[in-house]
Amino acid sequence: MAVLPIDALLNEFKPDDYTVKMLQAIFKVVPYSPALPQYRVMEDVVRTLDSTPNPIAFAKCRIEAAGQDIQDVLWMGNLLDTGDKGYALFTGLKSAVNLVRGQGSAALETDDQQRNDAVIKGLGIAYMAYNAFPGSVAERVEAFRNTPAGQALLMYYAAVEVALPFADNAAVSGANMVDRLFQGAPAQFQKLAGMAGGKSLDGAMETLKSMSQPIQKVVDVAVQYTKPVAQTAQQYLPGAMGGADKVAGVVANAADVMPVYRYLSIRLAAEGAAYRALKS
């Protein structure tokens, strides 16, 4: 993947894009959701993380953004949102396409597919968290949890990838829901590795284990709002309107057509670069 100026990437998504508006709508529904401050240039990102930064950080942040670790964050975000090739073979994207074409019933019977999808996306998020920040696994997870993009990824993942399609399971399993979901991580890690084209996924499995409980805490909140999240998100998802009974599951599948992970990975990459610049 070519190294594009980070400022150009930050401006790829505008405030009125459907992806941005959908996320904002979901976050308004679920308590404790993060804000999505507009980033136009890296200086905006630096000031979000530190209101009185050392001016040196402004110069360093773009250098950090061009580094391999940060570029790997962007790479994974693109992989999670790949259209009709690679990762899409293992997601609910086919069901989303069927839904858009009016074949709604084909999008409903996807529990196993959605479960595998959720685990792979969890691994992808863990990989991004590991690469965005320096330090031990615990330090990287802590930094991820304390930055706006990290919080946004956690909330979106918990609400749309776990709470929506597995609301009943979450209610039954309680605190064990995410741990049980991640029991399938080794098998799905092999699938993700197969799509990585030989690229190392070091840190993903260990980081996912460290993120299990933080994810569970967000799921415990999000699962109480699956119906309003589904109803709110419908207006931004092509083809998600209609008389399907399993509205939550349909919205989770339809969300696969939105480049959410590309959008949030750009923000996470920028925040990771700013974090590194501020700490160096």
Side-chain angles (χ1 to χ4, degrees), residues 115-246:
R115 185 176 296 107
N116 293 339
D117 179 29
V119 176
I120 291 179
K121 286 176 179 173
L123 284 164
I125 292 170
Y127 175 89
M128 289 192 286
Y130 181 83
N131 282 276
F133 304 101
S136 66
V137 169
E139 290 170 337
R140 295 173 196 232
V141 171
E142 184 67 15
F144 177 78
R145 294 176 60 192
N146 285 293
T147 49
Q151 293 167 0
L153 276 161
L154 283 176
M155 180 57 73
Y156 179 79
Y157 178 75
V160 174
E161 310 290 5
V162 181
L164 279 182
F166 308 118
D168 292 340
N169 293 341
V172 171
S173 302
N176 296 322
M177 169 60 186
V178 174
D179 283 339
R180 292 176 62 182
L181 180 68
F182 288 166
Q183 286 177 2
Q188 301 313 314
F189 179 84
Q190 294 304 315
K191 291 184 178 180
L192 186 60
M195 297 181 297
K199 195 174 185 68
S200 173
L201 298 179
D202 285 350
M205 282 289 290
E206 187 178 358
T207 304
L208 186 69
K209 292 179 182 178
S210 295
M211 291 174 61
S212 178
Q213 287 308 304
I215 292 172
Q216 182 66 62
K217 290 180 180 179
V218 184
V219 169
D220 289 342
V221 174
V223 76
Q224 302 175 57
Y225 299 90
T226 52
K227 186 174 181 179
V229 165
Q231 292 172 336
T232 300
Q234 281 186 86
Q235 61 186 305
Y236 302 102
L237 300 174
M241 305 295 286
D245 292 331
K246 290 179 66 175

Side-chain angles (χ1 to χ4, degrees), residues 241-255:
M241 305 295 286
D245 292 331
K246 290 179 66 175
V247 173
V250 169
V251 170
N253 279 329

